[in-house]
Amino acid sequence: MEIMTGSLYFVSDDFFAKIQDPYLKVNYEETKRPHYFAFRDSQTGLYWLVPCSSKIEKFERLVQKKQEQHKPTDIIKIVKVFDRKTVLLFQDMFPVISKYIDGQYIKGGQSVRIADPKLIQELEKNARKVINLLHRGVRFTPTQPNIIKIEKIMLEELRGTEEK
């Protein structure tokens, strides 16, 4: 399956079973959720997945509070996807290899994606900024996944598959 930047995807249960990070937002049993905004890191070959949330009002209040305190709001972005507001939680993003991406989010026969190339570019730039901060040990929330550990596991697995 080709992973296209801007499209939304699901993650396989195998990934969560392998990683065992208590702060990852694991799949719901009843529905195909959560879904993730995906983009490829050209330096490592990993895909970074940004969890999406439908709790718009909760995160709008959080963003407003941060703005009032003159704090950056890079870790939460509210965008329109399929004419509906969606929250992208950059604070909770994590890397995977393509084998753990379990399919594209399809609604009404169409792939659910962010269509505006400028917005995609802006979101990728924001994600790279957040990844750099994460690599420097910045913690945005007490419940953020251990991306350094996850990235190491995924890079080892990626190298292992490339060698075969």
Side-chain angles (χ1 to χ4, degrees):
M1 161 179 57
E2 182 187 355
I3 313 300
M4 296 181 303
T5 296
S7 291
L8 302 185
Y9 294 91
F10 300 105
V11 176
S12 75
D13 290 333
D14 293 345
F15 171 78
F16 298 109
K18 179 178 185 92
I19 298 300
Q20 300 276 312
D21 187 301
Y23 299 121
L24 286 173
K25 292 169 177 30
V26 297
N27 292 329
Y28 297 173
E29 284 188 34
E30 318 80 53
T31 61
K32 284 283 249 179
R33 291 190 139 208
H35 48 273
Y36 302 86
F37 167 74
F39 72 95
R40 188 168 185 273
D41 181 341
S42 55
Q43 290 182 316
T44 62
L46 296 176
Y47 290 93
W48 282 83
L49 300 181
V50 182
C52 299
S53 173
S54 58
K55 296 177 180 166
I56 309 302
E57 288 157 11
K58 170 187 174 183
F59 289 105
E60 281 178 335
R61 283 193 305 273
L62 233 156
V63 167
Q64 184 178 355
K65 188 176 171 187
K66 282 181 169 289
Q67 287 171 335
E68 287 168 1
Q69 297 170 338
H70 304 290
K71 290 183 176 177
T73 58
D74 299 329
I75 59 173
I76 301 167
K77 295 289 181 191
I78 300 169
V79 299
K80 275 205 169 180
V81 179
F82 255 39
D83 286 330
R84 293 182 69 172
K85 282 184 178 180
T86 298
V87 182
L88 298 179
L89 300 171
F90 287 92
Q91 66 202 23
D92 295 325
M93 70 179 162
F94 57 89
V96 300
I97 57 176
S98 60
K99 90 173 203 181
Y100 294 113
I101 296 178
D102 196 26
Q104 198 171 7
Y105 185 3
I106 306 287
K107 193 172 185 175
Q110 288 187 304
S111 65
V112 178
R113 60 187 315 271
I114 296 170
D116 180 356
K118 275 194 174 126
L119 178 57
I120 291 170
Q121 208 170 20
E122 192 181 303
L123 294 172
E124 283 188 28
K125 183 180 177 189
N126 184 70
R128 279 192 265 292
K129 180 180 176 183
V130 173
I131 290 167
N132 285 335
L133 290 169
L134 290 166
H135 280 140
R136 289 201 306 247
V138 174
R139 291 195 57 82
F140 299 107
T141 69
T143 58
Q144 129 189 347
N146 183 345
I147 64 107
I148 303 298
K149 179 183 157 206
I150 297 169
E151 187 175 44
K152 185 176 180 233
I153 293 167
M154 289 295 104
L155 285 170
E156 283 172 8
E157 192 168 338
L158 183 64
R159 288 187 192 109
T161 56
E162 287 173 349
E163 289 169 9
K164 288 180 182 175

